[in-house]
Amino acid sequence: MPNPAERGYRRIATEEAWTTPEIMQRYQQMLERGDHGDPGFASLWGFFATSQTPRARDLYERVQDLEARRLADMDATGIDMQLLMLTAPGVQMFDPDTACALAASTNDQLAETVRRHPSRFAGLAAVAPQAPQAAAAELERAVTRLGLKGVVINSHVNGEYLDDEKFWDIFAAAEALDVPVYIHPNTPSPQMIEPFLSRCLDAAIYGFAAETGLHVLRLIVAGVFDRFPRLKMVLGHLGEGLPYWLYRVDFMHGGIVRANRSPGVKPLQRAPSEYLRENFHYTTSGMCWEPAITYVQQLMGHDRVMYAMDYPYQFVKEEVDAMDALPLTPAQKHAFFQGNAERVFKL
Ligand code: 1DF
Ligand code: MN
């Protein structure tokens, strides 16, 4: 396999999952008690934590490894660097005090791993959005003291969305620190999950995108990016379907504003699509598909689309080869695999 110098770029994978045995034990306890109030959590982690299928057991081991196995997997697939983030739903399920303590200790562990392997790993901070002021403070600590590169939020927080102004200290901190907020999927919130469940559509197959795309539209329509114009966001899975919707969202949003149709919709400074073009970046996690990648590159610009694998959930060597074969110029390919990630995450 060619090395980065022969290839002309380092492959940086920008949505790579990890977690700790402690968090996995706490998930198991919550599942056994059944007191978490989130059917999506039970569906997703009930499967990974207990299923005896080879895929579930394998994922459960891989996601908890931050050393030998992960590095060997990266070597076997030609991944030079992983941008690590605590796997969904992170600490968002826990009571605020537990969540804050776990966010801090996992950020410490992640920073320690990055210190041991600075050319192989970088990381995003975990925070507890259910304690917004503490989350903002932990983000600042993680960036300024630990060298983490931004923050991951796994969509809804116990059924709440970050368009509620009580969460906006987190956005203020990210903007002031000039680090990105990665809105990673979660299963649909308890309010909307029911029709997904009986056909097993709640997770990565589709529910993640429905949930996360909705969350991002709520942020835009609420005016988050008028309040925080320099806020940088990252979305996985090629934008959770939103790139396909730009025209219609702009058209309909204009009509809703002109009709003064809802107290929840105020005029924005710009069309919704402009925020998606200028505040957001997109990764290809799980979407190894040339027509869709080419479309998002054309729409958003080659400087806004980055490679991601979504290890260990979509750990497929052939997908890496297919990404290498994308019809891109050398400069575009360098941006896709390396340059954009280095700029957006300041690697
Ligand atoms: C899955 C996919 C699980 C993704 C994830 O975290 C995840 C999955 C629990 O396949 O069930 O992050 N993903 O981002 O597509
Ligand atoms: Mn993911």
Side-chain angles (χ1 to χ4, degrees):
M1 190 180 324
N3 64 36
E6 291 159 350
R7 226 190 275 135
Y9 47 86
R10 297 181 71 222
R11 281 202 209 90
I12 304 174
T14 53
E15 189 199 295
E16 314 310 309
W18 78 290
T19 192
T20 66
E22 180 181 6
I23 288 182
M24 289 297 100
Q25 271 166 27
R26 287 176 182 270
Y27 282 3
Q28 291 222 9
Q29 290 161 2
M30 288 182 109
L31 288 163
E32 281 159 23
R33 290 198 307 268
D35 59 356
H36 48 76
D38 187 339
F41 175 72
S43 170
L44 187 65
W45 284 104
F47 175 72
F48 288 138
T50 63
S51 166
Q52 291 309 312
T53 61
R55 171 172 153 82
R57 297 311 353 116
D58 182 71
L59 282 170
Y60 205 64
E61 276 179 32
R62 280 195 156 97
V63 76
Q64 298 183 58
D65 178 287
L66 269 182
E67 292 282 337
R69 181 146 192 207
R70 185 174 294 256
L71 287 165
D73 285 345
M74 290 164 66
D75 291 341
T77 45
I79 302 300
D80 298 298
M81 176 180 258
Q82 284 191 344
L83 179 73
L84 294 163
M85 52 197 81
L86 192 65
T87 203
V91 300
Q92 290 169 211
M93 303 288 304
F94 303 117
D95 70 80
D97 288 345
T98 306
C100 288
L102 283 170
S105 70
T106 53
N107 290 336
D108 289 343
Q109 289 176 61
L110 181 53
E112 179 54 37
T113 301
V114 172
R115 272 194 290 277
R116 277 202 298 279
H117 305 282
S119 68
R120 306 306 302 276
F121 295 127
L124 297 184
V127 296
Q130 58 273 53
Q133 285 71 41
E138 177 59 17
L139 172 55
E140 183 176 1
R141 184 188 79 94
V143 171
T144 60
R145 306 242 183 114
L146 302 181
L148 299 184
K149 302 300 185 187
V151 60
V152 60
I153 308 273
N154 298 293
S155 200
H156 76 84
V157 184
N158 299 308
E160 295 190 303
Y161 291 87
L162 273 68
D163 59 320
D164 186 325
E165 290 199 29
K166 75 180 181 186
F167 293 112
W168 289 14
D169 281 2
I170 301 168
F171 295 136
E175 188 188 52
L177 292 160
D178 192 30
V179 294
V181 178
Y182 201 122
I183 305 285
H184 185 277
N186 195 349
T187 43
S189 58
Q191 308 93 295
M192 67 184 277
I193 198 169
E194 201 277 334
F196 289 86
L197 283 173
S198 54
R199 299 292 185 190
C200 210
L201 293 167
D202 46 291
I205 183 171
Y206 185 68
F208 279 5
E211 157 69 22
T212 312
L214 169 73
H215 196 157
V216 166
L217 287 180
R218 289 189 65 103
L219 298 179
I220 290 171
V221 170
V224 167
F225 303 100
D226 287 343
R227 176 84 80 84
F228 305 106
R230 292 183 320 284
L231 183 58
K232 285 189 294 192
M233 309 292 285
V234 184
L235 267 179
H237 315 97
L238 285 177
E240 313 293 357
L242 293 179
Y244 207 77
W245 277 86
L246 299 193
Y247 178 82
R248 198 155 208 245
V249 168
D250 284 354
F251 185 92
M252 291 295 166
H253 183 259
I256 292 164
V257 169
R258 281 190 298 279
N260 200 13
R261 208 166 133 176
S262 162
V265 181
K266 303 278 189 306
L268 296 174
Q269 288 172 18
R270 322 174 77 180
S273 65
E274 292 180 67
Y275 305 100
L276 286 164
R277 286 178 200 276
E278 287 168 34
N279 291 89
F280 283 78
H281 304 82
Y282 301 88
T283 79
T284 61
S285 48
M287 300 289 269
C288 171
W289 192 33
E290 183 185 320
I293 295 170
T294 303
Y295 173 69
V296 178
Q297 285 172 326
Q298 282 176 2
L299 198 65
M300 302 297 180
H302 280 275
D303 56 343
R304 289 192 180 266
V305 183
M306 297 176 265
Y307 171 69
M309 175 184 271
D310 212 353
Y311 181 91
Y313 300 105
Q314 204 153 334
F315 174 48
V316 183
K317 169 80 170 86
E318 291 70 29
E319 292 190 351
V320 182
D321 299 338
M323 296 291 92
D324 273 342
L326 284 171
L328 299 172
T329 67
Q332 289 167 345
K333 201 172 274 188
H334 187 277
F336 176 72
F337 280 109
Q338 176 178 352
N340 294 340
E342 288 178 338
R343 190 182 70 256
V344 172
F345 297 105
K346 298 189 206 156
L347 302 180

